[in-house]
Amino acid sequence: MVLEKSWRWFGFGDSVQLSDLKQIGIEGVVTALHHIPNGEVWPVAEILKVKSAIEAQGMHWTVAESLPVSEGIKTRNFDHERLITNYKISLQNLGECGIDTVCYNFMPVLDWVRTSLHYPLQNGGEVMYFDYATFAAFDVFILKRPNAANDYPDEIIAKAEQVIASMTSEEHEELARNIIVVSQGFIDGVVDGSTPDYKKVFLKFLDTYSAIDRDKLRENLSLFLQEVVPVAEKYGVNLCIHPDDPPFPVLGLPRIVSSQDDLEWICQQVDSTANGITFCTGSLSVNRQNNLLQIVEKLGPRIHFAHLRNNVFFEHRAFHEYGHIEGDIDMYPIIKALLKEQIRRKVSGRKDVRIPFRPDHGVKMLDDYTRSANPGYPLIGRLKGLSELSGMQMAIERELTGK
Ligand code: DNO
């Protein structure tokens, strides 16, 4: 049995229709109620609209990605009780509607970070790129975060000086906009990019973490889990936290979902299958200390969702994304380990045997240049990845079962 073929669909405004997904063999749709403001309840009626549209095409809503955790929960500000109550109601509503897997993350202020959304590959394709020195240039010289330079090694600051000098002022602005607005807006952006002072607004958000270090953020996550996991359990929902992308602190903000130790610590906070993880190869692999295979072996029963993506790594934490089965991550043993986990589940009589996977991000290619898409989510590049990953799974499955 292969992993469940799933696909991130951004709702009725997505340029890819549900009928297209059916055509390409998708079984489970991954989506969210993107139109509901962060922190508000997801009402049953809205959930059902999306669910029935998906089911009308013969697929099912396999994962809610993401049910956003508001900043007020991460910082445990004055409003956190209301926000957690709303979160619990949304979990109940999702569970009662039969949506049994909910992905979320606990990254402060920013979700994923890239310094270029259009990095050209030699073959004409385009991917996303993260360069630490360019990121430092943004932080120190464009955003001008107080004392930012102290957070980087001297050699990175020296490179950042060169980077900034080589860019025009329009490019400075584009870099800031990409990091603060463009790559966040379509998922869970906290800053309204339409205001001219969006960088100042962003700095204010960063300030809300001035008294929150790694330990404090861990405490806030633990308190959140203690409240929501029992509700998820009661309504038959498995929660799965998405790792930090990239998996290290950025902008002076702590990041606490970056390593195997972090994931184990999280799973221990509430000892329940409902307290699980999203296994994202692209994010976790950027921390070169992480052994992805070991993570599957150790935490397999808690993996409720897999994001399969590949990277090419350079020195000083730089990387760019790549074709799903190319690149520096060896997908073969990872897929094998995930398929073995499914076999273990079946043997142990677990009901949720199949792990949904989605081809995470993709190379922009061919007709992708003429079709609108959110950054990282081109149709053809993802479709190519889906096919390659699926073929690999079929072959490994035969090898494992002899069928
Ligand atoms: C980016 C995604 C993330 C992810 C969330 C999950 O493309 O991988 O936005 O969906 O962090 O909560």
Side-chain angles (χ1 to χ4, degrees):
M1 195 188 348
V2 290
L3 304 172
E4 187 194 19
K5 274 188 200 165
S6 75
W7 186 273
R8 192 172 196 181
W9 178 68
F10 291 99
F12 297 106
D14 197 317
S15 66
V16 181
Q17 306 298 307
L18 288 170
S19 52
D20 300 332
L21 298 187
K22 181 183 180 185
Q23 218 175 103
I24 64 181
I26 295 302
E27 299 169 85
V29 174
V30 174
T31 194
L33 298 186
H34 292 283
H35 60 289
I36 308 274
N38 189 339
E40 299 305 320
V41 168
W42 285 15
V44 167
E46 294 298 308
I47 296 172
L48 289 180
K49 258 188 231 163
V50 173
K51 181 179 146 95
S52 50
I54 294 171
E55 289 176 355
Q57 295 294 336
M59 300 175 289
H60 77 126
W61 184 351
T62 185
V63 182
E65 178 183 8
S66 295
L67 180 59
V69 177
S70 315
E71 288 301 298
I73 295 179
K74 294 177 216 162
T75 58
R76 254 186 122 70
N77 74 4
F78 68 95
D79 205 16
H80 72 273
E81 280 175 12
R82 179 186 71 91
L83 293 166
I84 292 182
T85 302
N86 285 355
Y87 206 93
K88 289 182 189 166
I89 300 171
S90 297
L91 283 178
Q92 172 178 350
N93 290 350
L94 283 163
E96 286 181 340
C97 293
I99 288 89
D100 58 11
T101 308
V102 171
C103 172
Y104 68 102
N105 73 75
F106 218 76
M107 289 177 254
V109 190
L110 281 183
D111 191 306
W112 57 323
V113 185
R114 297 292 182 273
T115 51
S116 168
L117 306 180
H118 304 283
Y119 178 81
L121 295 175
Q122 276 183 353
N123 63 9
E126 223 177 70
V127 290
M128 294 189 293
Y129 182 69
F130 177 83
D131 178 61
Y132 198 40
T134 306
F135 186 74
F138 154 74
D139 188 7
V140 178
F141 303 113
I142 301 174
L143 186 63
K144 301 192 175 72
R145 179 173 63 90
N147 304 318
N150 298 341
D151 290 346
Y152 301 91
D154 291 347
E155 59 178 331
I156 293 293
I157 293 293
K159 281 195 170 161
E161 280 166 357
Q162 289 170 9
V163 168
I164 208 77
S166 71
M167 291 167 76
T168 62
S169 52
E170 287 78 34
E171 285 167 339
H172 293 173
E173 185 61 23
E174 189 189 345
L175 178 61
R177 225 166 227 294
N178 280 348
I179 293 174
I180 302 174
V181 182
V182 183
S183 56
Q184 309 299 308
F186 72 96
I187 32 174
D188 183 24
V190 290
V191 174
D192 172 8
S194 62
T195 54
D197 65 344
Y198 72 97
K199 288 192 219 84
K200 279 204 193 114
V201 176
F202 181 65
L203 279 170
K204 284 215 180 93
F205 267 108
L206 298 184
D207 254 357
T208 59
Y209 284 82
S210 58
I212 300 178
D213 59 8
R214 177 179 168 79
D215 287 345
K216 187 74 193 154
L217 191 63
R218 271 190 158 192
E219 184 186 319
N220 293 352
L221 171 56
S222 181
L223 291 168
F224 169 69
L225 289 172
Q226 284 160 41
E227 295 219 39
V228 299
V229 174
V231 176
E233 237 175 15
K234 179 167 172 200
Y235 294 98
V237 173
N238 281 331
L239 286 160
C240 46
I241 193 164
H242 188 283
D244 304 325
D245 181 2
F248 45 80
V250 290
L251 304 169
L253 300 166
R255 287 194 154 197
I256 56 169
V257 196
S258 296
S259 64
Q260 179 171 339
D261 278 356
D262 288 344
L263 294 171
E264 285 182 28
W265 182 88
I266 291 163
C267 289
Q268 283 155 12
Q269 294 316 295
V270 183
D271 189 17
S272 159
T273 307
N275 176 26
I277 62 175
T278 298
F279 178 68
C280 176
T281 56
S283 305
L284 288 166
S285 62
V286 171
N287 176 344
R288 305 302 287 140
Q289 309 302 314
N290 282 335
N291 178 333
L292 299 192
L293 264 185
Q294 231 175 54
I295 294 178
V296 181
E297 268 144 34
K298 192 80 202 267
L299 296 169
R302 297 283 187 103
I303 295 177
H304 302 312
F305 186 24
H307 285 185
L308 301 181
R309 169 159 70 78
N310 221 315
N311 292 319
V312 174
F313 301 107
F314 304 98
E315 57 173 5
H316 303 307
R317 293 178 160 174
F319 66 92
H320 68 66
E321 303 186 355
Y322 211 41
H324 294 77
I325 59 170
E326 301 160 308
D328 289 334
I329 309 170
D330 187 2
M331 278 296 169
Y332 171 81
I334 291 173
I335 287 183
K336 194 169 187 173
L338 289 170
L339 292 178
K340 279 187 175 165
E341 169 58 23
Q342 290 196 147
I343 294 172
R344 270 195 295 274
R345 289 183 186 189
K346 198 171 174 200
V347 171
S348 72
R350 219 170 118 161
K351 281 206 197 98
D352 54 338
V353 170
R354 287 188 84 196
I355 302 170
F357 87 97
R358 64 173 178 83
D360 190 22
H361 303 177
V363 179
K364 187 169 173 178
M365 59 174 72
L366 307 170
D367 289 17
D368 289 330
Y369 286 98
T370 59
R371 176 191 282 269
S372 69
N374 287 323
Y377 289 88
L379 169 63
I380 309 284
R382 278 190 291 163
L383 181 52
K384 179 169 183 272
L386 176 77
S387 313
E388 292 170 337
L389 292 164
S390 301
M392 195 181 248
Q393 287 176 46
M394 286 168 75
I396 298 175
E397 179 69 5
R398 276 195 161 193
E399 184 190 318
L400 287 177
T401 60
K403 283 183 210 149

